[in-house]
Structures are given as C-alpha cells and as structure tokens.
Amino acid sequence: MDQSTQAGESFITGIFRHNTWANLRLLEACRQLSDEQMDATVPGTYGSIRDTLFHIVGGEMSYVGRVTGREPENSARSGEFPGIDALERYARWCGEELLQLAPSARAGDVVTEVWENKKGQYNLTDLLTQAINHATEHRAQVATVLTQQGIEPPDMSGWAYMEDMGRFTETEI
C-alpha cells in the first residue's frame, strides 16, 4: 500500500492508513518469533500472540465483508493460523478496502446483517470506529505479551508513523 501523503487526504483516511501501517509493523515484528513465543499469552489479553494476530486481521476481514460482501482471495478459515505472510496479505487487502469505505461513510449509512434468523442494523460509521478501536486494543495486548517475554515490541504510535512516513521533521532553532 502506498503510505505516502495523498493530496487532499482526509483525517479519517489518515487514521486508516495508520491502522494498516501499525498492523503490518506488528506482523513484521512477530515474523521471527518461535512457536513457543507465538503461543505465549498473559492474563487480561485476548489470548496467544498467534491467536490475537489472527483475530485482529480476521476482524478487519469480517468488517469489510459485512459491508461489501467481499473477502480476500484464499482467506483462511476460522481457527486455522495461515502464517505471517498470509496475514500480511490479508491486512494489506483489508487496509485498501477500509480506505475505500472510510472517506465515503456518512452518519446515515446503515449496515444490515442477517444471522440465526435475526436481522441486525447499525451505522457504518460505528462499524468503522469499531475497526480502529478493535485493532488498537489488540495490538496493545500483543505488545504486552511481547514485553512479558522480554521482547521489545515495535513502536506503533502516531509519532513513529509520522517519522516512518517522513512527516515529522526537526530543525535547530
């Protein structure tokens, strides 16, 4: 995904670009972990690093699918960890899809779902808020599990994003 500043980029687009960047940064940091490290967990977190990474990306695939009916090619089945490479592909795909949805979402846009003989409706803007909050919360949980294993988690902050994208400069005064 082209993470450079886009002419006329909206605030919401910037938030979703950061979200995708942070997901990819975390996945890359976990690439070299052993199976034992990937299976580690800490009380108060979602679960193992492996399960949480899959949950983050799977959640985003679910959000996109609820609105568009689409999913990435060869998407993994629930419970089958597809590996970091596949999660990165899915995260990039979700990032692009969410970047298409977010700027055009309006307060009155409604998502309708049918499951178990019930129909549910909610605002698209609320679902997009959930996408950001969900990923942020679970990335922090993975960072906690990494830290408890003595592994420095990647910096996924807005400051690190600005620096990585070349959007932060310092000059002597």
Side-chain angles (χ1 to χ4, degrees):
M1 171 190 314
D2 177 13
Q3 296 285 342
S4 62
T5 303
Q6 305 292 318
E9 178 176 77
S10 70
F11 173 72
I12 195 71
T13 300
I15 290 171
F16 278 91
R17 285 188 192 283
H18 171 266
N19 184 68
T20 300
W21 170 88
N23 286 344
L24 292 171
R25 188 166 200 163
L26 181 59
L27 287 165
E28 185 58 35
C30 293
R31 178 178 296 286
Q32 302 303 318
L33 297 179
S34 69
D35 283 339
E36 181 180 346
Q37 291 168 322
M38 287 288 283
D39 291 333
T41 189
V42 172
T45 63
Y46 174 81
S48 71
I49 290 174
R50 181 187 321 273
D51 290 345
T52 307
L53 294 174
F54 191 36
H55 181 71
I56 293 167
V57 178
E60 291 192 1
M61 290 191 305
S62 170
Y63 303 142
V64 170
R66 292 168 193 225
V67 178
T68 69
R70 294 190 301 269
E71 62 180 41
E73 251 183 67
N74 303 317
S75 61
R77 303 275 183 239
S78 181
E80 298 174 12
F81 185 75
I84 297 293
D85 288 342
L87 288 181
E88 283 180 344
R89 282 193 309 277
Y90 303 153
R92 288 179 195 284
W93 181 87
C94 290
E96 290 298 328
E97 292 289 319
L98 290 168
L99 276 173
Q100 299 302 311
L101 288 172
S104 61
R106 300 292 173 256
D109 294 343
V110 174
V111 177
T112 302
E113 288 188 77
V114 177
W115 69 95
E116 298 177 4
N117 297 319
K118 296 178 185 171
K119 181 169 118 175
Q121 292 184 311
Y122 44 85
N123 291 327
L124 174 58
T125 54
D126 292 337
L127 181 66
L128 294 172
T129 299
Q130 167 62 16
I132 296 298
N133 288 339
H134 180 261
T136 302
E137 176 182 357
H138 289 304
R139 286 192 303 262
Q141 291 175 351
V142 171
T144 297
V145 178
L146 288 170
T147 300
Q148 291 300 308
Q149 296 183 79
I151 301 167
E152 181 72 26
D155 187 349
M156 297 171 282
S157 70
W159 292 113
Y161 177 68
M162 288 187 290
E163 289 175 2
D164 203 38
M165 296 297 112
R167 297 181 188 173
F168 179 81
T169 58
E170 286 182 297
T171 55
E172 295 290 326
I173 52 172

